[in-house]
Amino acid sequence: MKDVGMKPETLRSATATASFYAPAHCLQRIAERDTEKGDPQASARIAGILAAKRTDELLPLCHPLPIHAAEVHFNIEAERVVIEAEVHTIGPTGVEMEALTAASMAALTLYDMLKPYAEPEELAIGETRLLDKTGGKSHFKRHLKRPLSACVLMVSDPVADGHKPDTAGRQVADGLAGAGFEPLDYQILPDDETRVGDALDTAIANGTQLIITVGGTGIGPKDRVVETVTPRLTTAMPGLMEAARAFGQRRTPYAVLSRGVSGFAQQSLVLTFPGSRAGAEETLAALLPSIVHVLEIHQRFAGHAG
């Protein structure tokens, strides 16, 4: 199975359709809800909903998901019944397969209930396809429409002294490059408030659109990045780091130890990531869609102001 553990949970939905073809007298029975096995529409609806809830048991590589809503609708036409299945969840991956499975199972149920009234060649299932999906990467973008500048400041004495490789800051920089940020400045700094403050002031004065510090957000005596960044923020955006901590908390109880802050310093969005590789990776995974969205909105406002 594909690992979706680093994907943020979002509200997701999908709608799929399938067609059940039958002769006119069979379609009439479906419309009148009359077969020897009972109401075909009611049975097919329940079968479709149950199938959506158990898709992960039927498809071996499909992730189990909490199904928050599922519904199946029927539209009876001249030669067929058009089935539409809609499924909703809040999860790290989409519900396309749940919707497709629901539509398919509803069609199979109609086939089973109408087969006593028709020859085998008169019944058919076809045109099963996805109609719509929302809530995933196609809805919450993780890549910029056009390049924006960024700066990553890795703050750590051991890294600056060459005693430890930088895996956290480098990973953040690579992730931003993959999201379309360029030019991208990357610096390694010691745990020195003056040095960090100077680097921040330079990046802000240069109009760098995104500045991310990595490290210095914990409770150690040298963890002073938060104290360095906070006075420079002109518009605080606490929700960003709150979301990152909530995302991390579901993966490790130590995520609450990060004191990270976030907001705009003049025209620069500034975020303070934790210094561990896992913490930095989780924070970027949690925030990248929001970072892209916030910066693109900010650029539109800046364009109108200009």
Side-chain angles (χ1 to χ4, degrees):
M1 294 174 67
K2 183 178 180 180
D3 185 1
V4 297
M6 292 300 291
K7 297 176 66 176
E9 295 184 351
T10 57
L11 177 63
R12 299 168 183 261
S13 66
T15 304
T17 184
S19 294
F20 172 67
Y21 293 88
H25 66 277
C26 290
L27 296 175
Q28 183 176 357
R29 284 187 175 275
I30 296 173
E32 295 175 355
R33 301 174 178 267
D34 176 28
T35 74
E36 62 184 27
K37 292 184 177 181
D39 181 346
Q41 291 191 52
S43 297
R45 173 179 175 269
I46 295 300
I49 293 172
L50 287 174
K53 295 166 67 175
R54 303 185 69 174
T55 299
D56 65 293
E57 299 178 26
L58 301 171
L59 302 179
L61 301 180
C62 196
H63 292 85
L65 291 170
I67 303 302
H68 294 298
E71 191 53 84
V72 180
H73 304 282
F74 305 91
N75 182 27
I76 302 173
E77 298 181 351
E79 298 180 348
R80 63 175 182 167
V81 179
V82 177
I83 302 161
E84 280 197 11
E86 184 177 356
V87 184
H88 300 264
T89 189
I90 297 176
T93 188
V95 283
E96 307 98 296
M97 300 315 301
E98 284 75 7
L100 287 163
T101 303
S104 300
M105 185 58 71
L108 285 169
T109 302
L110 291 180
Y111 194 112
D112 177 59
M113 298 185 74
L114 273 299
K115 69 180 190 291
Y117 307 101
E119 296 299 323
E121 64 272 11
E122 293 181 298
L123 303 179
I125 297 171
E127 299 176 17
T128 302
R129 59 189 176 91
L130 187 68
L131 293 178
D132 181 64
K133 58 175 288 189
T134 63
K137 61 183 179 182
S138 60
H139 189 75
F140 300 113
K141 303 296 184 182
R142 303 178 69 85
H143 195 282
L144 294 167
K145 293 179 181 176
R146 64 181 184 84
L148 297 175
S149 59
C151 176
V152 176
L153 305 176
M154 179 66 205
V155 183
S156 167
D157 279 346
V159 175
D161 293 341
H163 297 148
K164 179 181 176 182
D166 176 24
T167 56
R170 188 73 264 173
Q171 183 160 341
V172 171
D174 291 344
L176 294 180
F181 284 90
E182 63 170 319
L184 199 156
D185 182 29
Y186 165 74
Q187 301 179 40
I188 296 175
L189 301 171
D191 290 300
D192 181 289
E193 288 186 64
T194 300
R195 294 275 301 276
V196 174
D198 288 345
L200 284 168
D201 290 339
T202 298
I204 294 168
N206 290 338
T208 305
Q209 278 120 345
L210 174 65
I211 304 170
I212 295 180
T213 65
V214 182
T217 65
I219 58 174
K222 289 190 173 182
D223 290 330
R224 302 290 295 172
V225 167
V226 172
E227 287 75 14
T228 306
V229 168
T230 300
R232 291 168 167 81
L233 297 181
T234 51
T235 303
M237 297 193 67
L240 289 167
M241 298 314 300
E242 289 170 6
R245 279 187 283 270
F247 183 89
Q249 185 68 16
R250 298 196 62 181
R251 289 149 182 86
T252 170
Y254 301 146
V256 295
L257 298 179
S258 175
R259 300 185 297 116
V261 294
S262 52
F264 277 93
Q266 300 180 34
Q267 300 304 310
S268 302
L269 177 62
V270 184
L271 304 168
T272 55
F273 283 22
S276 70
R277 178 176 180 176
E281 180 183 14
E282 290 168 3
T283 302
L284 186 62
L287 296 185
L288 188 55
S290 297
I291 292 171
V292 169
H293 183 63
V294 168
L295 287 176
E296 290 185 340
I297 289 177
H298 187 260
Q299 291 304 302
R300 289 202 297 269
F301 288 155
H304 291 321

